[in-house]
Amino acid sequence: MNGLVPAIIQDVSTRKVLMLGFMNEEAYRQTVSTRKVTFWSRTRKCLWTKGETSGNFLHVEDILCDCDNDSLLIQVHPEGPVCHTGADTCWNEENQSAPLLFLSELQDFIIKRHEEMPEGSYTTSLFKDGLNRIAQKFGEEALETVIEATNGTSERLIYEASDMLYHLIVLLTSKGLRIEDLARELQVRHDPNWKKH
């Protein structure tokens, strides 16, 4: 395309496609160096950094190249709406996160805690205490969830079940597993031909 490649812009948190722009080599290099998405404007024939006038920058998290090396997927953290019309996306869609996606994000955060073990972190203290303590904490939170389910309020049930789920993700992380492993297992079980083993 005369030195241009399509650059698909995706919100790294919501996974929503936000817009499509074009980059030449200079726009790509500037994007990499500044970590803010810069395009080549085909109409103005110049570089433009998304957000330079509106303040709605696209902060780069990752850049992926497709299998044919002829388009880019740029995962970003958007700062405000993306479209010049003021819409969240150039397709006039809302860019809201699906709460279930946060579980994967939370596990990524917990894995980072496990790798870095920063002082003063509750998650770090769990990993330092070891698997038995993590499993015990999960059990305690599960029991508190049961108590709230049978004798408490919906608000307290959500609170305790959230504690339980957090400790479950810590437990999975300590065993080298992810919350997505549970989702896959449930997906397999949803098949009408699934047989319990």
Side-chain angles (χ1 to χ4, degrees):
M1 297 179 58
N2 298 319
L4 297 178
V5 294
I8 301 160
I9 309 302
Q10 179 187 44
D11 187 314
V12 72
S13 299
T14 66
R15 305 296 188 201
K16 181 76 73 176
V17 174
L18 303 175
M19 67 174 294
L20 171 70
F22 291 88
M23 288 184 172
N24 61 9
E25 187 173 349
E26 188 180 0
Y28 175 79
R29 288 184 194 280
Q30 187 166 318
T31 297
V32 169
S33 72
T34 64
R35 306 305 290 170
K36 291 179 181 172
V37 174
T38 298
F39 296 109
W40 174 258
S41 171
R42 293 172 297 158
T43 52
R44 294 182 307 214
K45 307 290 186 214
C46 64
L47 293 179
W48 65 281
T49 300
K50 180 72 174 128
E52 62 191 6
T53 54
S54 67
N56 298 331
F57 293 102
L58 299 171
H59 301 280
V60 176
E61 175 73 22
D62 201 5
I63 300 176
L64 306 170
C65 194
D66 81 336
C67 58
D68 295 322
N69 291 319
D70 60 8
S71 66
L72 299 171
L73 176 65
I74 303 181
Q75 296 176 324
V76 302
H77 297 282
E79 192 175 328
V82 171
C83 187
H84 71 282
T85 65
D88 287 350
T89 79
C90 288
W91 292 272
N92 202 29
E93 298 176 296
E94 287 188 11
N95 184 28
Q96 295 182 347
S97 64
L100 285 176
L101 288 178
F102 176 72
L103 294 179
S104 181
E105 192 178 322
L106 176 61
Q107 179 141 28
D108 291 342
F109 178 81
I110 290 170
I111 287 170
K112 190 172 183 188
R113 282 286 196 253
H114 190 229
E115 291 167 349
E116 297 174 356
M117 300 291 273
E119 291 299 320
S121 160
Y122 174 69
T123 306
T124 296
S125 70
L126 286 172
F127 286 124
K128 283 184 175 178
D129 289 344
L131 178 62
N132 289 346
R133 179 65 181 140
I134 295 168
Q136 179 187 3
K137 279 299 295 177
F138 170 70
E140 290 170 7
E141 298 301 341
L143 180 58
E144 289 174 12
T145 300
V146 170
I147 291 167
E148 291 301 332
T150 56
N151 295 310
T153 64
S154 294
E155 184 179 279
R156 289 298 303 167
L157 173 59
I158 289 170
Y159 184 89
E160 294 300 342
S162 297
D163 281 351
M164 181 188 71
L165 190 52
Y166 161 79
H167 285 89
L168 174 61
I169 294 173
V170 173
L171 181 62
L172 290 170
T173 301
S174 72
K175 299 292 287 181
L177 299 169
R178 290 192 59 95
I179 194 75
E180 292 90 345
D181 295 319
L182 303 186
R184 273 188 288 276
E185 174 66 17
L186 291 171
Q187 192 174 26
V188 167
R189 292 183 188 191
H190 189 63
D191 185 323
N193 298 318
W194 178 75
K195 299 282 190 278
K196 187 174 181 179
H197 47 79

